[in-house]
Amino acid sequence: MTTLLDVHASELPSTAVGAGRRFVGGATLLLRGIGLYVRSPGLMLLGVVPALISGAIFATAYALLVFFVGDLAAAATPFADDWAATPRSVVRVIAALAFLGLGGLLTVLTFTAVTLVIGDPFYEKISERVERRYGGTPDEVEVPFWPSLRRSAADSLRLVALAALFGVPLFAAGFIPVVGQTVVPVIGALVGGWLLAVELTGAPFSRRGKRLPHRRAALKVDRPTSLGFGVAVFVCFLIPLGAVLLMPAAVAGATLLARRSLGQPITEG
Protein backbone atom coordinates (compact mmCIF):
# COMPACT_ATOMS: atom_id res chain seq x y z
CA MET A 1 0.00 0.00 0.00
CA THR A 2 1.42 3.38 -1.00
CA THR A 3 1.70 5.99 1.72
CA LEU A 4 2.73 9.62 1.69
CA LEU A 5 6.15 8.53 2.85
CA ASP A 6 6.59 6.61 -0.41
CA VAL A 7 6.00 9.68 -2.56
CA HIS A 8 9.26 11.19 -3.75
CA ALA A 9 9.80 14.78 -4.81
CA SER A 10 10.29 13.60 -8.40
CA GLU A 11 6.71 12.29 -8.40
CA LEU A 12 5.21 15.60 -7.33
CA PRO A 13 3.97 18.05 -9.97
CA SER A 14 7.03 19.75 -11.43
CA THR A 15 5.50 23.19 -10.95
CA ALA A 16 5.07 22.61 -7.21
CA VAL A 17 8.62 21.28 -6.85
CA GLY A 18 9.99 24.19 -8.88
CA ALA A 19 8.04 26.72 -6.83
CA GLY A 20 9.32 25.16 -3.61
CA ARG A 21 12.91 25.33 -4.83
CA ARG A 22 12.51 28.95 -5.87
CA PHE A 23 10.95 29.76 -2.48
CA VAL A 24 14.01 28.29 -0.72
CA GLY A 25 16.26 30.10 -3.19
CA GLY A 26 14.58 33.37 -2.26
CA ALA A 27 15.21 32.68 1.44
CA THR A 28 18.91 32.09 0.72
CA LEU A 29 19.13 35.64 -0.67
CA LEU A 30 18.74 36.85 2.92
CA LEU A 31 21.65 34.60 3.95
CA ARG A 32 23.73 36.08 1.14
CA GLY A 33 22.73 39.55 2.30
CA ILE A 34 23.97 38.68 5.79
CA GLY A 35 27.29 37.54 4.31
CA LEU A 36 27.71 40.78 2.36
CA TYR A 37 26.69 42.78 5.40
CA VAL A 38 29.18 41.22 7.85
CA ARG A 39 32.03 41.75 5.41
CA SER A 40 31.45 45.53 5.61
CA PRO A 41 31.69 46.39 9.33
CA GLY A 42 31.53 50.13 8.70
CA LEU A 43 28.26 49.86 6.83
CA MET A 44 27.03 47.40 9.43
CA LEU A 45 27.32 50.00 12.18
CA LEU A 46 25.76 52.74 10.06
CA GLY A 47 22.86 50.50 9.10
CA VAL A 48 22.10 49.48 12.67
CA VAL A 49 21.81 53.06 13.99
CA PRO A 50 18.47 53.99 12.32
CA ALA A 51 17.15 50.49 13.07
CA LEU A 52 17.98 50.99 16.75
CA ILE A 53 16.09 54.28 16.83
CA SER A 54 12.90 52.95 15.25
CA GLY A 55 13.34 49.59 17.02
CA ALA A 56 13.18 51.28 20.41
CA ILE A 57 9.97 53.07 19.41
CA PHE A 58 8.22 49.98 18.07
CA ALA A 59 9.42 47.69 20.86
CA THR A 60 7.86 50.10 23.35
CA ALA A 61 4.62 50.21 21.36
CA TYR A 62 4.41 46.41 21.15
CA ALA A 63 5.22 46.06 24.86
CA LEU A 64 2.27 48.35 25.59
CA LEU A 65 0.07 46.16 23.38
CA VAL A 66 1.18 43.07 25.33
CA PHE A 67 0.49 44.85 28.62
CA PHE A 68 -3.03 45.93 27.66
CA VAL A 69 -3.96 42.97 25.44
CA GLY A 70 -6.10 41.42 28.19
CA ASP A 71 -8.20 44.58 28.43
CA LEU A 72 -8.46 44.79 24.63
CA ALA A 73 -9.56 41.15 24.43
CA ALA A 74 -12.24 41.77 27.07
CA ALA A 75 -13.45 44.90 25.28
CA ALA A 76 -13.66 42.99 21.98
CA THR A 77 -15.69 40.13 23.48
CA PRO A 78 -18.44 41.71 25.63
CA PHE A 79 -20.77 38.87 24.60
CA ALA A 80 -18.68 36.52 26.79
CA ASP A 81 -19.15 38.53 30.01
CA ASP A 82 -21.91 36.24 31.28
CA TRP A 83 -20.30 32.98 30.17
CA ALA A 84 -18.80 30.43 32.54
CA ALA A 85 -15.18 31.08 33.48
CA THR A 86 -13.57 28.43 31.21
CA PRO A 87 -15.25 29.27 27.87
CA ARG A 88 -14.91 32.99 28.64
CA SER A 89 -11.17 32.55 29.23
CA VAL A 90 -10.76 30.48 26.06
CA VAL A 91 -12.47 33.02 23.79
CA ARG A 92 -10.49 35.88 25.34
CA VAL A 93 -7.17 34.06 24.93
CA ILE A 94 -8.08 33.59 21.26
CA ALA A 95 -8.95 37.30 21.02
CA ALA A 96 -5.66 38.25 22.69
CA LEU A 97 -3.71 36.08 20.23
CA ALA A 98 -5.55 37.73 17.35
CA PHE A 99 -4.61 41.19 18.65
CA LEU A 100 -0.98 40.14 19.11
CA GLY A 101 -0.87 38.63 15.62
CA LEU A 102 -2.27 41.75 13.99
CA GLY A 103 0.07 43.89 16.10
CA GLY A 104 3.05 41.78 15.04
CA LEU A 105 2.20 42.08 11.34
CA LEU A 106 1.70 45.84 11.48
CA THR A 107 4.75 46.34 13.73
CA VAL A 108 7.12 44.52 11.38
CA LEU A 109 5.88 46.32 8.26
CA THR A 110 5.63 49.76 9.87
CA PHE A 111 9.04 49.32 11.49
CA THR A 112 10.54 48.55 8.08
CA ALA A 113 8.86 51.54 6.44
CA VAL A 114 9.92 53.98 9.16
CA THR A 115 13.47 52.59 9.36
CA LEU A 116 13.95 52.84 5.59
CA VAL A 117 12.87 56.50 5.70
CA ILE A 118 15.05 57.35 8.72
CA GLY A 119 18.09 55.50 7.36
CA ASP A 120 17.60 56.24 3.66
CA PRO A 121 21.18 57.53 3.04
CA PHE A 122 22.73 54.55 4.89
CA TYR A 123 20.63 51.88 3.20
CA GLU A 124 21.10 53.54 -0.18
CA LYS A 125 24.86 53.24 0.35
CA ILE A 126 24.55 49.55 1.30
CA SER A 127 22.42 48.87 -1.78
CA GLU A 128 24.83 50.75 -4.06
CA ARG A 129 27.80 48.78 -2.73
CA VAL A 130 26.01 45.49 -3.44
CA GLU A 131 25.21 46.68 -6.97
CA ARG A 132 28.84 47.60 -7.64
CA ARG A 133 29.98 44.20 -6.42
CA TYR A 134 27.86 42.47 -9.07
CA GLY A 135 28.49 44.71 -12.06
CA GLY A 136 26.85 48.05 -11.27
CA THR A 137 23.45 49.50 -12.15
CA PRO A 138 22.51 49.55 -15.85
CA ASP A 139 20.70 52.72 -16.93
CA GLU A 140 21.05 54.32 -13.51
CA VAL A 141 18.90 57.41 -12.99
CA GLU A 142 20.08 60.25 -10.78
CA VAL A 143 17.29 61.21 -8.39
CA PRO A 144 17.76 64.17 -6.00
CA PHE A 145 17.67 63.23 -2.32
CA TRP A 146 14.47 65.02 -1.23
CA PRO A 147 12.27 63.88 -4.14
CA SER A 148 13.61 60.35 -3.61
CA LEU A 149 12.80 60.51 0.10
CA ARG A 150 9.27 61.79 -0.57
CA ARG A 151 8.60 59.01 -3.07
CA SER A 152 10.00 56.39 -0.71
CA ALA A 153 7.81 57.66 2.13
CA ALA A 154 4.72 57.72 -0.11
CA ASP A 155 5.36 54.16 -1.33
CA SER A 156 5.90 52.98 2.24
CA LEU A 157 2.62 54.56 3.36
CA ARG A 158 0.78 52.74 0.57
CA LEU A 159 2.28 49.43 1.62
CA VAL A 160 1.43 50.00 5.28
CA ALA A 161 -2.14 50.84 4.25
CA LEU A 162 -2.26 47.56 2.31
CA ALA A 163 -0.98 45.73 5.40
CA ALA A 164 -3.82 47.22 7.44
CA LEU A 165 -6.31 46.27 4.71
CA PHE A 166 -5.18 42.63 4.80
CA GLY A 167 -4.70 42.70 8.56
CA VAL A 168 -8.36 43.40 9.39
CA PRO A 169 -9.77 40.18 7.84
CA LEU A 170 -6.83 38.20 9.23
CA PHE A 171 -7.56 39.66 12.66
CA ALA A 172 -11.22 38.60 12.35
CA ALA A 173 -10.18 35.12 11.17
CA GLY A 174 -7.91 34.89 14.21
CA PHE A 175 -11.03 34.37 16.36
CA ILE A 176 -11.78 31.05 14.62
CA PRO A 177 -10.59 28.25 16.93
CA VAL A 178 -7.67 26.18 15.59
CA VAL A 179 -7.73 27.86 12.14
CA GLY A 180 -6.99 31.22 13.72
CA GLN A 181 -3.94 29.83 15.50
CA THR A 182 -2.57 27.70 12.62
CA VAL A 183 -3.66 28.73 9.12
CA VAL A 184 -4.01 32.46 9.80
CA PRO A 185 -0.40 32.95 11.03
CA VAL A 186 0.87 31.23 7.87
CA ILE A 187 -1.26 33.48 5.67
CA GLY A 188 -0.09 36.48 7.72
CA ALA A 189 3.56 35.51 7.15
CA LEU A 190 2.96 35.17 3.40
CA VAL A 191 1.17 38.52 3.18
CA GLY A 192 3.78 40.20 5.37
CA GLY A 193 6.60 38.55 3.41
CA TRP A 194 5.28 39.77 0.08
CA LEU A 195 4.84 43.33 1.36
CA LEU A 196 8.34 43.28 2.88
CA ALA A 197 9.85 42.09 -0.41
CA VAL A 198 8.13 44.96 -2.23
CA GLU A 199 9.11 47.47 0.46
CA LEU A 200 12.77 46.49 0.81
CA THR A 201 13.47 46.50 -2.95
CA GLY A 202 12.52 50.17 -3.21
CA ALA A 203 16.08 51.55 -3.43
CA PRO A 204 17.40 49.41 -6.32
CA PHE A 205 14.24 49.94 -8.35
CA SER A 206 14.27 53.70 -7.70
CA ARG A 207 17.90 53.77 -8.83
CA ARG A 208 16.65 52.56 -12.20
CA GLY A 209 13.82 55.09 -12.34
CA LYS A 210 11.16 52.47 -11.58
CA ARG A 211 8.30 53.16 -9.18
CA LEU A 212 6.07 50.93 -7.06
CA PRO A 213 3.93 49.49 -9.92
CA HIS A 214 7.09 48.41 -11.81
CA ARG A 215 8.45 46.88 -8.63
CA ARG A 216 5.36 44.80 -7.99
CA ALA A 217 5.20 43.66 -11.62
CA ALA A 218 8.85 42.58 -11.67
CA LEU A 219 8.59 40.68 -8.38
CA LYS A 220 5.39 38.92 -9.49
CA VAL A 221 7.22 37.32 -12.41
CA ASP A 222 8.89 34.96 -9.93
CA ARG A 223 6.58 35.23 -6.96
CA PRO A 224 7.91 32.12 -5.13
CA THR A 225 11.44 33.59 -4.97
CA SER A 226 10.12 36.96 -3.82
CA LEU A 227 7.95 35.27 -1.19
CA GLY A 228 10.83 33.08 -0.01
CA PHE A 229 12.97 36.14 0.62
CA GLY A 230 10.16 38.17 2.19
CA VAL A 231 8.92 35.40 4.50
CA ALA A 232 12.50 34.71 5.68
CA VAL A 233 12.88 38.41 6.54
CA PHE A 234 9.44 38.52 8.18
CA VAL A 235 10.19 35.55 10.45
CA CYS A 236 13.63 36.92 11.39
CA PHE A 237 12.12 40.32 12.16
CA LEU A 238 9.74 38.68 14.65
CA ILE A 239 12.72 37.47 16.71
CA PRO A 240 13.66 39.92 19.50
CA LEU A 241 16.35 42.30 18.13
CA GLY A 242 16.19 40.45 14.80
CA ALA A 243 14.76 43.45 12.96
CA VAL A 244 17.38 45.80 14.39
CA LEU A 245 20.39 43.59 13.69
CA LEU A 246 19.27 42.22 10.32
CA MET A 247 17.80 45.33 8.71
CA PRO A 248 21.00 46.19 6.77
CA ALA A 249 21.37 42.54 5.70
CA ALA A 250 17.74 42.56 4.51
CA VAL A 251 18.51 45.64 2.38
CA ALA A 252 21.54 43.88 0.88
CA GLY A 253 19.51 40.74 0.18
CA ALA A 254 16.67 42.80 -1.30
CA THR A 255 19.15 44.37 -3.74
CA LEU A 256 20.09 40.86 -4.91
CA LEU A 257 16.38 40.04 -5.24
CA ALA A 258 15.79 43.18 -7.32
CA ARG A 259 18.72 42.37 -9.62
CA ARG A 260 17.50 38.80 -10.05
CA SER A 261 13.96 39.99 -10.79
CA LEU A 262 15.32 42.32 -13.48
CA GLY A 263 17.44 39.61 -15.08
CA GLN A 264 20.76 41.07 -13.93
CA PRO A 265 23.66 38.99 -12.51
CA ILE A 266 23.91 38.20 -8.82
CA THR A 267 27.13 36.21 -9.08
CA GLU A 268 30.56 37.78 -9.26
CA GLY A 269 32.13 37.44 -12.70
Side-chain angles (χ1 to χ4, degrees), residues 45-249:
L45 292 173
L46 286 176
V48 165
V49 170
L52 277 171
I53 295 170
S54 56
I57 296 170
F58 284 98
T60 302
Y62 196 77
L64 286 171
L65 173 62
V66 171
F67 184 79
F68 289 109
V69 73
D71 295 334
L72 290 172
T77 56
F79 54 84
D81 286 345
D82 298 326
W83 291 7
T86 299
R88 183 173 66 246
S89 297
V90 169
V91 77
R92 286 180 175 167
V93 166
I94 292 172
L97 291 173
F99 272 112
L100 292 176
L102 176 62
L105 173 65
L106 294 179
T107 295
V108 168
L109 294 171
T110 310
F111 163 85
T112 303
V114 171
T115 304
L116 286 173
V117 172
I118 293 174
D120 185 74
F122 305 127
Y123 298 129
E124 181 70 28
K125 186 64 68 178
I126 291 172
S127 183
E128 284 178 358
R129 184 167 293 189
V130 173
E131 297 260 35
R132 287 200 300 269
R133 189 181 187 94
Y134 295 100
T137 307
D139 305 320
E140 183 171 359
V141 175
E142 287 293 334
V143 182
F145 173 74
W146 288 112
S148 172
L149 187 63
R150 284 197 299 270
R151 290 176 186 173
S152 175
D155 288 348
S156 293
L157 284 173
R158 290 192 192 100
L159 290 168
V160 171
L162 272 176
L165 187 64
F166 281 108
V168 171
L170 287 174
F171 170 72
F175 284 85
I176 304 172
V178 183
V179 172
Q181 293 73 56
T182 54
V183 177
V184 170
V186 173
I187 296 173
L190 290 171
V191 170
W194 171 254
L195 293 174
L196 277 178
V198 175
E199 197 164 33
L200 287 163
T201 50
F205 275 93
S206 295
R207 199 174 296 118
R208 292 162 173 80
K210 298 180 183 295
R211 295 294 307 278
L212 183 58
H214 304 100
R215 213 187 313 168
R216 283 197 297 248
L219 293 175
K220 281 180 183 176
V221 172
D222 188 358
R223 195 188 292 270
T225 298
S226 302
L227 277 174
F229 171 77
V231 169
V233 174
F234 185 84
V235 171
C236 288
F237 277 16
L238 289 175
I239 300 169
L241 292 180
V244 172
L245 296 176
L246 291 180
M247 185 68 185

